[in-house]
């Protein structure tokens, strides 16, 4: 992690902030404020319980529940009761009273709706009246975005392997800026959701490819720290959403400001080089040597590595592993026997739970009471130390011994929140921050742990399938948050149950700290069942220098797979 790696790393992860920005932008952009049916005429007076006002705008500070209604008297003398999704005209009464037992004629909200604009001047909900019978359209905004995240991760991950990391980073970075701005100028709900879906695809594609990109440039010793802290910049993006949401209260202006936040990277990302590992895999040896020479010059190394030497080592490794590489592996290999199948189910459950808990705590933060902008900012800020704790725990206690207590702790926190009185806003917010911290440690840890639990021949497949379960969790999370309307603690109960179950099942996983990576499914099956090392076979004799190069190349190749 010298000067060249530092420049490439911080330039790449800077754009990861935009992924955090767009993933959570809807928490303020799709807010549903207080509202009532539109008025069929000019108002002379407004009555809300015992308070008489001259306009409806004056009663929003008194509004406490969706069950409330407003009584208005028009200039022609008609008296109307305005509910959220209907309005009633009082028949035969000219007295302006709140309670009325006489005859009423019920009408639909054909004149639109009146919204409380004291907090937000405009949201997508107020722009296109996504309330009452159109409320379900508002609730689809975040799930459709997360569906785009799932599809984008699959598509751009594959394209990056075919066309290179550099081109995908260029395209997805430009795409985030272009689609981010385009969202602000959409003309109806359906164009809005479509452009947001495309924005989700490029955002997810960038995050996946950037993770691989920085991993392939950073050296082995700094790789765990570097890969974990890509997530930290995502958290900074969440904090930016809270800050911009506090300062800008019109949704399309808010969206433009969020999209401009990472414009500097879009202007300079074309200077980022292709990774030497991808160039070597494509047999573009001269281009790989050029990148290596640039790295050496930036890092002030007088004798850079020679591609010809690395290629000879790769050929030696390839000839030794021909028998294992001839067979093509598929998802069924993750269920080849009971031990591997049980491991796969547990790992998938942890990926799903981590993503579900991460987004439930994030998306619910604006509904905790108090200042919603400060709540979201703190929920993002609490992630920054959690990745440091995760790195320390992984190296000192082990992967499993760090994962188990934090999963169970997050379950206990979810349960404890249910017993906190709703008046104690500060205590509720602190408990939610603790829950986000705990699930964040587990979520950040599972990437590396999954790669170490599986052998080389299916390692990429295992991490990829786990990541897919993670995306499924992110799609389910918004629907889970909507269950607050059924019971306010339902989302926490579901996350708590999943976290507890994941924590208990993790006990059966083997510890991988300090153990060599396995190469075959037989070795992976034996991991944890025997005190002896799985790879106890003596390697063929090599000179010290050559053996060191093989080990270095092998580790680099594995990291590239991750």
């Amino acid at each position: 992690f010298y000067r060249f790696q530092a420049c490439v790393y911080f330039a790449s992860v800077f754009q990861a902030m935009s992924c955090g920005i767009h993933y959570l932008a809807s928490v303020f952009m799709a807010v549903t404020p207080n509202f009532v049916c539109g008025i069929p005429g000019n108002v002379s007076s407004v009555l809300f319980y015992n308070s008489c006002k001259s306009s409806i705008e004056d009663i929003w500070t008194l509004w406490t529940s969706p069950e409330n209604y407003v009584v208005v008297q028009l200039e022609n003398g008609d008296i109307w009761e305005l509910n959220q999704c209907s309005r009633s005209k009082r028949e035969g009464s000219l007295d302006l009273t709140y309670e009325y037992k006489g005859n009423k004629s019920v009408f639909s909200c054909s004149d639109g709706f009146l919204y409380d604009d004291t907090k937000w001047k405009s949201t997508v909900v107020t722009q296109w009246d996504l309330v009452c019978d159109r409320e379900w359209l508002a609730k689809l905004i975040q799930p459709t975005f997360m569906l785009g995240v799932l599809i984008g991760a699959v598509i751009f991950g594959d394209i990056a392997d075919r066309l290179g990391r550099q081109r995908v980073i260029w395209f997805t970075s430009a795409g985030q800026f272009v689609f981010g701005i385009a969202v602000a100028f959409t003309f109806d709900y359906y164009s809005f959701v479509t452009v947001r879906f495309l924005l989700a695809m490029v955002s997810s594609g960038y995050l996946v490819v950037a993770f691989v990109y920085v991993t392939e440039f950073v050296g082995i010793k700094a790789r765990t720290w570097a890969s974990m802290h890509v997530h930290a910049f995502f958290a900074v993006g969440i904090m930016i959403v809270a800050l911009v949401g506090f300062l800008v209260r019109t949704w399309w202006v808010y969206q433009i400001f969020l999209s401009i936040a990472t414009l500097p990277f879009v202007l300079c990302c074309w200077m980022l080089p292709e990774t030497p590992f991808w160039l070597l895999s494509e047999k573009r040896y001269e281009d790989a040597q050029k990148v290596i020479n640039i790295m050496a010059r930036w890092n002030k190394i007088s004798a850079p590595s020679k591609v010809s030497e690395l290629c000879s080592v790769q050929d030696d490794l390839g000839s030794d592993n021909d028998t294992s590489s001839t067979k093509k592996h598929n998802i069924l290999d993750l269920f080849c026997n009971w031990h591997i199948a049980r491991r796969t189910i547990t790992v998938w459950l942890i990926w799903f739970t981590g993503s579900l808990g991460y987004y439930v705590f994030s998306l619910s933060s604006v509904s905790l009471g108090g200042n919603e902008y400060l709540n979201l900012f703190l929920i993002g800020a609490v992630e920054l130390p959690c990745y440091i704790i995760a790195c320390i725990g992984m190296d000192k206690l082990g992967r499993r011994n760090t994962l188990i207590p934090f999963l169970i702790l997050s379950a206990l926190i979810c349960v404890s929140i249910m017993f906190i009185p709703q008046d104690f806003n500060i205590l509720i917010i602190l408990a939610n921050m603790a829950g986000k911290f705990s699930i964040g440690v587990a979520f950040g840890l599972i990437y590396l742990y999954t790669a170490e639990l599986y052998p080389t021949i299916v390692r990429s497949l295992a991490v990829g399938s786990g990541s897919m379960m993670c995306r499924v969790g992110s799609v389910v999370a918004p629907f889970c948050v909507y269950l607050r309307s059924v019971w306010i603690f339902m989302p926490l109960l579901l996350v708590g149950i999943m976290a507890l179950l994941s924590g208990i099942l993790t006990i059966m996983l083997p510890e991988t700290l300090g153990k060599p990576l396995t190469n075959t499914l037989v070795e992976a099956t034996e991991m944890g069942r025997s005190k002896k090392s799985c790879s106890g076979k003596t390697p063929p004799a090599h000179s010290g220098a050559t053996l060191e190069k093989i080990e270095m190349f092998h580790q680099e190749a594995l990291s590239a797979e991750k």
Side-chain angles (χ1 to χ4, degrees):
F1 199 78
Y2 295 119
R3 186 167 60 171
F4 180 88
Q5 283 85 355
C7 290
V8 168
Y9 178 79
F10 287 110
S12 302
V13 297
F14 178 80
Q15 183 69 359
M17 290 192 301
S18 67
C19 301
I21 286 172
H22 295 305
Y23 277 41
L24 272 296
S26 68
V27 295
F28 296 130
M29 187 163 50
V31 170
T32 301
N34 296 323
F35 67 94
V36 292
C37 254
I39 308 168
N42 296 322
V43 176
S44 60
S45 58
V46 178
L47 183 65
F48 184 74
Y49 287 105
N50 296 324
S51 299
C52 189
K53 305 289 182 180
S54 59
S55 67
I56 288 185
E57 286 74 14
D58 298 328
I59 61 94
W60 292 124
T61 55
L62 307 174
W63 192 273
T64 56
S65 168
E67 304 300 324
N68 294 152
Y69 63 90
V70 180
V71 179
V72 298
Q73 186 170 34
L74 305 185
E75 291 179 348
N76 61 7
D78 291 343
I79 298 177
W80 290 77
E81 290 182 12
L82 305 180
N83 296 287
Q84 285 201 323
C85 297
S86 65
R87 56 188 180 178
S88 305
K89 182 181 179 182
R90 295 179 178 178
E91 304 292 349
S93 174
L94 297 178
D95 297 327
L96 185 62
T97 59
Y98 196 74
E99 299 291 341
Y100 178 71
K101 302 297 183 182
N103 295 327
K104 302 177 187 177
S105 300
V106 181
F107 299 89
S108 63
C109 301
S110 56
D111 292 298
F113 300 88
L114 298 173
Y115 296 97
D116 176 8
D117 61 358
T118 53
K119 280 190 176 181
W120 278 83
K121 298 300 180 185
S122 171
T123 71
V124 294
V125 171
T126 64
Q127 179 92 8
W128 297 305
D129 288 335
L130 305 181
V131 293
C132 298
D133 57 341
R134 287 167 57 86
E135 181 183 10
W136 65 276
L137 293 174
K139 291 186 175 181
L140 282 180
I141 290 174
Q142 189 67 16
T144 54
F145 184 91
M146 289 303 183
L147 182 62
V149 168
L150 190 156
I151 295 173
V154 175
I155 292 177
F156 287 105
D158 181 63
I159 293 175
D161 287 337
R162 296 173 184 271
L163 302 181
R165 289 78 164 101
Q166 183 191 47
R167 292 179 182 177
V168 173
I169 282 180
W170 290 353
F171 178 80
T172 53
S173 300
Q176 284 187 82
F177 178 73
V178 172
F179 291 132
I181 296 294
V183 166
F185 295 97
T186 48
F187 51 87
D188 64 7
Y189 170 80
Y190 298 102
S191 62
F192 170 81
V193 170
T194 301
V195 177
R196 283 256 305 169
F197 182 85
L198 297 174
L199 175 61
M201 289 181 62
V202 294
S203 297
S204 174
Y206 181 86
L207 196 60
V208 169
V209 177
F211 187 85
V212 175
Y213 185 78
V214 299
T215 300
E216 292 182 352
F217 268 116
V218 175
I220 297 172
K221 292 182 179 179
R223 188 166 293 136
T224 300
W225 176 89
S227 61
M228 286 287 287
H229 282 78
V230 172
H231 304 291
F233 285 85
F234 185 95
V236 173
I238 297 177
M239 296 162 67
I240 292 174
V241 169
L243 179 62
V244 175
F246 175 74
L247 297 174
V248 183
R249 305 299 176 91
T250 302
W251 78 265
W252 60 271
V253 179
Y254 161 85
Q255 176 65 28
I256 290 175
F257 272 90
L258 290 178
S259 301
I260 290 176
T262 53
L263 179 60
F265 179 81
V266 178
L267 299 177
C268 68
C269 67
W270 59 271
M271 294 188 290
L272 292 176
E274 184 57 80
T275 68
F277 289 107
W278 185 83
L279 293 171
L280 286 172
S281 70
E282 295 294 308
K283 302 187 185 304
R284 292 169 54 180
Y285 302 126
E286 291 184 4
D287 293 335
Q289 188 64 62
K290 290 178 182 178
V291 175
I292 291 172
N293 292 339
I294 293 172
M295 292 169 66
R297 190 161 57 249
W298 274 61
N299 294 336
K300 297 182 180 180
I301 295 174
S302 56
S305 301
K306 301 296 182 184
V307 168
S308 56
E309 296 177 9
L310 295 176
C311 292
S312 64
V313 173
Q314 186 179 19
D315 292 339
D316 291 340
L317 286 171
S319 62
D320 290 341
N321 295 327
D322 280 344
T323 55
S324 63
S325 60
T326 53
K327 179 186 175 183
K328 291 187 177 180
H329 297 275
N330 56 49
I331 196 73
L332 295 179
D333 288 306
L334 300 180
F335 299 87
C336 64
N337 59 55
W338 165 244
H339 297 285
I340 297 296
R342 184 177 62 187
R343 186 177 303 176
T344 299
I345 292 171
T346 301
V347 167
W348 282 4
L349 185 63
I350 297 170
W351 278 91
F352 177 86
T353 303
S355 180
L356 179 70
Y358 182 94
Y359 287 107
V360 164
F361 279 116
S362 298
L363 295 172
S364 300
S365 62
V366 295
S367 306
L368 298 178
N371 189 311
E372 58 264 46
Y373 307 105
L374 180 59
N375 293 349
L376 184 63
F377 184 89
L378 293 175
I379 285 290
V382 78
E383 282 189 59
L384 302 182
C386 91
Y387 297 125
I388 299 174
I389 298 297
C391 286
I392 296 172
M394 281 195 300
D395 291 337
K396 301 296 183 182
L397 303 177
R399 283 68 161 130
R400 183 187 63 181
N401 296 336
T402 303
L403 187 59
I404 293 171
F406 278 102
L407 281 172
I408 295 178
L409 178 61
S410 61
L412 294 176
I413 291 172
C414 288
V415 174
S416 66
I417 293 174
M418 300 180 191
F419 295 96
I420 300 175
Q422 291 300 296
D423 311 349
F424 293 37
N425 283 339
I426 296 178
L427 190 56
I428 291 174
I429 293 168
L430 291 175
N432 275 269
M433 289 175 64
K436 177 69 178 296
F437 180 93
S438 300
I439 209 74
V441 171
F443 194 28
L445 172 67
I446 192 60
Y447 282 82
L448 181 60
Y449 192 29
T450 302
E452 293 176 341
L453 283 171
Y454 290 88
T456 304
I457 56 176
V458 293
R459 184 168 291 118
S460 294
L461 189 62
V463 176
S465 63
S467 180
M468 185 68 68
M469 292 304 298
C470 166
R471 310 302 172 192
V472 173
S474 65
V475 173
V476 173
F479 294 109
C480 187
V481 173
Y482 297 149
L483 291 176
R484 285 176 61 92
S485 60
V486 178
W487 184 41
I488 191 171
F489 297 123
M490 184 65 77
L492 290 173
L493 179 62
L494 294 176
V495 172
I497 292 173
M498 297 297 292
L500 181 62
L501 180 60
S502 301
I504 293 172
L505 291 177
T506 303
I507 296 173
M508 295 184 289
L509 294 179
E511 179 54 70
T512 59
L513 176 63
K515 293 185 178 180
L517 293 171
T518 55
N519 292 315
T520 67
L521 287 166
V522 174
E523 292 177 356
T525 303
E526 291 298 320
M527 184 194 301
R529 298 175 62 190
S530 169
K531 293 183 179 179
K532 296 179 67 176
S533 172
C534 298
S535 55
K537 295 181 180 180
T538 305
H542 292 280
S543 67
T546 306
L547 188 59
E548 184 180 352
K549 289 178 183 176
I550 291 175
E551 178 63 22
M552 179 189 72
F553 191 92
H554 187 59
Q555 292 288 342
E556 297 284 359
L558 293 178
S559 298
E561 286 180 2
K562 296 175 197 174

